Amino acid sequence: MDEVVATRGRSLRAATWIAAAVAGAAVVAVVVLAIVWATSGVPLSGPFAVLERALTVIVLAGWAAAVAGVALGIAASVRSAAPARRMLVTAIVLAPVALLGCAAVTLFGVLWLTVAHPFAHNPAADSGSRVSAALRAHGGPEVCTQADPGLGPDNVQPWYTAWLEVPDSSAGPDGVRSALEQAGFSAATWSYPTTTAVSGNRTATVSVLGAQDVGIDCAIGLGQWGDTHDAAKGDQFVEVQVQLPMPK
């Protein structure tokens, strides 16, 4: 029984040190980025660019590790005899990081809900998704999408933007026109490679961007806005935009 208790105590201590190391590494990474930002500006290039792109993951991992470290440190201090004080001190040191992370996540959540309105209906997204689906009828993924229902305070105009990678035939003049018409849009005259059509008070614009070194203004994974991408052979990138007028 004593051996089991001792083993659990060692496991808790090891887990506490691992959590503390992860939280510490995250804090160091954030401090280093802040210093580099202050001297070099934003966004970064070179070796620090990778660190900047992974910032969200680093912050969340550091916060989770700090919270886990506080809980594990307290548990280890209860179950460990000799190193109990060290475990308790570790938990106390990690507590400010955990609390700061909780405050930051809460603030971000409130801002996200009040500015982005993620659960509100967006009429522009309804039409935009139909155009996107029609363009991808013969294959191809949505690389990235962004939208805003236009409820303020930063934006009062509903809009939707999607970047697609579709076959050359879908990105051709006939493919673009057919997709817009299937989604209910029409135009007095048709143009290419940027095609604009309307449906009621909705305006849709489809822009064929090409296949190589195409900048996409949307963060994809650990990528940044404006990163360039290459399409697979036989594919092209297409940008779909749908916008509604500003309410009167």
Side-chain angles (χ1 to χ4, degrees):
M1 185 64 179
D2 291 341
E3 181 61 28
V4 173
V5 172
T7 300
R8 288 179 178 174
R10 287 193 295 270
S11 298
L12 284 170
R13 291 197 299 273
T16 302
W17 291 127
I18 292 172
V22 172
V27 170
V28 170
V30 171
V31 171
V32 168
L33 276 177
I35 294 173
V36 177
W37 281 332
T39 56
S40 302
V42 179
L44 301 177
S45 58
F48 288 109
V50 177
L51 197 62
E52 182 181 52
R53 294 176 181 184
L55 180 60
T56 301
V57 175
I58 291 171
V59 170
L60 290 176
W63 168 58
V67 172
V70 171
L72 290 168
I74 293 173
S77 68
V78 172
R79 290 181 174 270
S80 304
R85 179 174 294 180
R86 289 202 301 271
M87 294 294 97
L88 188 58
V89 168
T90 302
I92 292 172
V93 170
L94 290 174
V97 179
L99 292 173
L100 183 61
C102 290
V105 169
T106 301
L107 178 61
F108 175 81
V110 171
L111 289 174
W112 180 59
L113 290 171
T114 56
V115 175
H117 304 285
F119 304 112
H121 174 246
N122 183 354
D126 294 342
S127 297
S129 61
R130 288 197 295 271
V131 176
S132 173
L135 283 166
R136 292 181 291 109
H138 301 291
E142 276 188 342
V143 179
C144 190
T145 62
Q146 289 193 332
D148 192 301
L151 300 178
D154 60 323
N155 177 60
V156 293
Q157 191 169 5
W159 59 268
Y160 169 91
T161 302
W163 288 264
L164 322 174
E165 182 180 339
V166 298
D168 288 339
S169 58
S170 299
D174 293 338
V176 171
R177 178 174 179 172
S178 174
L180 284 166
E181 289 179 338
Q182 287 180 47
F185 288 87
S186 61
T189 57
W190 295 92
S191 58
Y192 187 84
T194 298
T195 306
T196 300
V198 297
S199 174
N201 65 343
R202 294 164 169 81
T203 301
T205 302
V206 176
S207 301
V208 179
L209 305 176
Q212 303 294 314
D213 295 323
V214 175
I216 296 179
D217 290 328
C218 192
I220 304 169
L222 298 180
Q224 295 277 32
W225 284 52
D227 279 356
T228 57
H229 299 263
D230 295 332
K233 185 176 181 180
D235 287 355
Q236 293 194 61
F237 289 110
V238 175
E239 181 182 5
V240 175
Q241 293 180 314
V242 174
Q243 201 169 55
L244 270 70
M246 197 174 298
K248 298 179 180 179

